[in-house]
Structures are given as structure tokens and as C-alpha cells.
Amino acid sequence: MESRRGPLKSAVPSNLVSPVRRCSRTACGRPAVATLTYVYADSTAVLGPLATYAEPHCYDLCAEHSERLTAPRGWEVVRLLDGSAPARPSGDDLEALANAVREAARPQERAAEAGGGARTVDPMEVARRGHLRVLRSPDN
């Protein structure tokens, strides 16, 4: 049975609905960057990267609200690292990188002396420049 008024129209025009997911906090219109999920059995709040789809019982949070998140007393907050964010190198990482560059730049004779003995030569190796090797073709 059809209505006399014609087809039903949406109360919200489709061009006003944003494809960007927004923060779930009341009166916050900022874009969501993280998803919060509660694991009631473990008394744990898990805050991770923004989920691919909006799921029921999960809350999307903006950057500010995800940073200020606190859990109820007795609960634990687990923050999962976002894989897309580049990890900042530590001082140990930078020192290891510098040592590797120094070692690669060392002439072969000095590297053999520093190693405590003669370096074993690969019979397939034709030439070497720094840490790069030129290998003989297995057919030859």
C-alpha cells in the first residue's frame, strides 16, 4: 500500500552526512583516530588504531580524548601501537646504526685485523666494496 505523500524521504539530506567517522564523546565533533573496546571479563579497556568499520559496543575517539583516556578503578588500560605511525629510534638504535656504517666504511685489511684473524673468502665472491659484494655467477 502506497502513501499518498509519495516515497519516504530521509530527515537528513545525504549530502550533509560526513564520510569521516567522528569522536563518540558527547559534543565532540573532531575526527576519530582510535577505537576503544571494553573487555569486561578481564576488566580491561583496549585502545587501538581506528577500526576499519564502526562496530557496536566500540567507541571511536579523537586524538585528544584517546590521550586523556582513563579507565575505571581496578581496570587496566591497554594501548596498542598504531602500525602506521613510524616508531622513533632510541639512542641504542642510532648508536648501532653508526657502528654498522663505520664498520662498512673500514678498509678490508683493517677489518680483518680488528676481527682477530684472517677473513674467510667466499669462492663465489669476485669483488667487495664496503658491505656490498659482487658474486660470480653459479654457471661459470
Side-chain angles (χ1 to χ4, degrees), residues 36-46 57-59 72 75:
L36 172 66
T37 306
Y38 289 107
V39 182
Y40 295 99
D42 297 331
S43 299
T44 304
V46 180
H57 309 293
C58 291
Y59 303 92
W75 283 55

Side-chain angles (χ1 to χ4, degrees), residues 90-106:
S90 70
D92 291 341
D93 293 339
L94 294 175
E95 186 176 348
L97 178 62
N99 290 338
V101 169
R102 281 190 209 105
E103 183 66 31
R106 222 184 245 184

Side-chain angles (χ1 to χ4, degrees), residues 10-90:
S10 173
V12 178
S14 62
N15 60 354
L16 295 180
V17 176
S18 172
V20 177
R21 288 180 15 213
R22 301 288 175 190
C23 183
S24 297
R25 295 291 301 261
T26 306
C28 181
R30 291 184 288 264
V33 298
T35 298
L36 172 66
T37 306
Y38 289 107
V39 182
Y40 295 99
D42 297 331
S43 299
T44 304
V46 180
L47 182 68
L50 188 61
T52 307
Y53 301 102
E55 298 284 339
H57 309 293
C58 291
Y59 303 92
D60 294 335
L61 299 177
C62 65
E64 181 181 341
H65 286 122
S66 63
E67 289 171 10
R68 296 186 330 176
L69 175 73
T70 59
R73 182 173 288 148
W75 283 55
E76 181 182 1
V77 176
V78 176
R79 295 177 186 269
L80 303 175
L81 294 177
D82 183 3
S84 65
R88 296 191 50 99
S90 70

